[in-house]
Amino acid sequence: MAVYENIKLEKGLYTTGKSFTEALEALDPSENYIGTELEGLDAYQRQLKRFSIKVSGKGSDRVEKFFKTSDSAALFPEYISRAVRAGIDENNLLDKIVATTTNVEALDYRTITSVPSEEDKTLVLVNEGEAIPETQVKTQENLVKLHKRGRMLVASYEAIRFQRLDLFTVTLRQIGAYIAKTQLKDAVDVLMNGDGNDNAIAVSTVAAEGTLAYGDLVDFWNSFDPYTLNCIIASPSMTSQILKLSEMRDATAGLNFHSTGNLVTPFGAELVKSSAVAENKLIGLDRTCALELVTAGGVTTEFDKLIDRQLERAAITSIAGFAKIYTPASKALSL
């Protein structure tokens, strides 16, 4: 009998300081299945196979299938977390704007910063015996603010036990979508107003108030030197104005959009439309060095309640915050 069929599943696997899947992988490493029919499955997926639980597709099982045994019931919280994470991934725009992600094990985190002068941005010739110019890196004065975002799953076991898992997954993905959109709003707020360390964004205005011209974008792009404008987050109204510029509507651009669905964007910068940005504003950034995402674990669920079928009020949460790395690497333009 294979190892995965003998593992005792219990609540303790959620309290090891690792994720549930990581705890399972320590007991049942995936590398042991290379060259077998189970290759490609992680430890959690092997447990689904062990109990013949089909969570998606035609003929998916009902929710009650998880609760046939006490061991299989321990898989239910991880199923919920994965479905919520899938919703986050499907609606995730943070990957387009975040330079790096830091995982912390506490709610207190102080990031680092470096504020280079104009002289620091150039590597001058150093003659023999001369001191090499310095770049100072220091911790920020204020802590990064982490926010808990989530939803309360309110449903009795009796109400959902006969529901197909693929249908239930749709609801859970929506929870993930809400979390992703709220975290993007948090990121935009930090870009605009700073992370509490006196680093709010520099805002410029267009030449003709209320009207965006191509020249405004040129000047905006030019202001980023020595950084690179490679991402623009714009409100729906500002996105509309950008795409209506004649320079964005030439024949070649139209053919490319109709054939690939890819919009022509200002100076090659990726254009991200989001209502998280205030109307008639856009944020430009060098996404390689502008913003840091700080997380305290991934999606968490109240596993005790879920395993014990006490679904009446089970919280699904994610804790994250944002910090600015190089303040001049992001700027805003307003009509």
Side-chain angles (χ1 to χ4, degrees), residues 300-317:
T300 60
T301 61
E302 290 186 304
F303 59 87
D304 273 320
K305 291 183 178 181
L306 295 175
I307 293 174
D308 295 336
R309 308 188 197 187
Q310 298 174 4
L311 275 67
E312 283 79 4
R313 296 187 67 82
I316 304 170
T317 59

Side-chain angles (χ1 to χ4, degrees), residues 157-324:
Y157 174 68
E158 289 72 19
I160 66 171
R161 61 178 297 188
F162 297 118
Q163 296 298 323
R164 296 289 178 181
L165 287 167
D166 56 352
L167 176 60
F168 191 44
T169 297
V170 173
T171 300
L172 297 174
R173 283 179 176 168
Q174 277 301 107
I175 294 176
Y178 298 146
I179 293 174
K181 291 175 182 178
T182 305
Q183 288 180 341
L184 178 62
K185 187 175 181 180
D186 290 341
V188 168
D189 179 67
V190 168
L191 284 171
M192 288 296 301
N193 302 310
D195 56 17
N197 290 286
D198 193 26
N199 53 4
I201 205 167
V203 181
S204 57
T205 56
V206 296
E209 185 177 350
T211 303
L212 178 68
Y214 186 69
D216 296 315
L217 290 178
V218 173
D219 293 338
F220 186 65
W221 168 77
N222 196 46
S223 69
F224 272 79
D225 185 67
Y227 301 101
T228 301
L229 174 61
N230 49 34
C231 183
I232 294 174
I233 319 169
S235 66
S237 60
M238 187 65 98
T239 300
S240 178
Q241 290 218 32
I242 292 173
L243 297 179
K244 288 178 180 178
L245 292 172
S246 59
E247 290 81 0
M248 300 292 114
R249 293 187 286 119
D250 61 46
T252 302
L255 288 173
N256 183 61
F257 174 66
H258 289 299
S259 62
T260 67
N262 296 323
L263 296 171
V264 62
T265 59
F267 315 109
E270 184 167 8
L271 181 59
V272 177
K273 182 182 72 172
S274 174
S275 57
V277 182
E279 282 298 296
N280 298 320
K281 279 188 172 59
L282 65 80
I283 299 172
L285 63 149
D286 186 337
R287 60 184 169 201
T288 66
C289 58
L291 191 67
E292 176 188 15
L293 167 62
V294 182
T295 64
V299 175
T300 60
T301 61
E302 290 186 304
F303 59 87
D304 273 320
K305 291 183 178 181
L306 295 175
I307 293 174
D308 295 336
R309 308 188 197 187
Q310 298 174 4
L311 275 67
E312 283 79 4
R313 296 187 67 82
I316 304 170
T317 59
S318 179
I319 300 175
F322 299 88
K324 299 183 80 167

Side-chain angles (χ1 to χ4, degrees), residues 40-53:
L41 300 181
D42 63 26
Y44 169 75
Q45 292 168 328
R46 287 192 291 276
Q47 292 302 315
L48 292 180
K49 181 176 178 62
R50 170 186 176 185
F51 295 103
S52 300
I53 300 174

Side-chain angles (χ1 to χ4, degrees), residues 8 24 37 41 67 102 125 136 262 264 270 273 309 321:
K8 176 62 178 175
L24 274 181
E37 63 177 7
L41 300 181
F67 298 95
T102 301
L125 178 65
Q136 291 190 353
N262 296 323
V264 62
E270 184 167 8
K273 182 182 72 172
R309 308 188 197 187

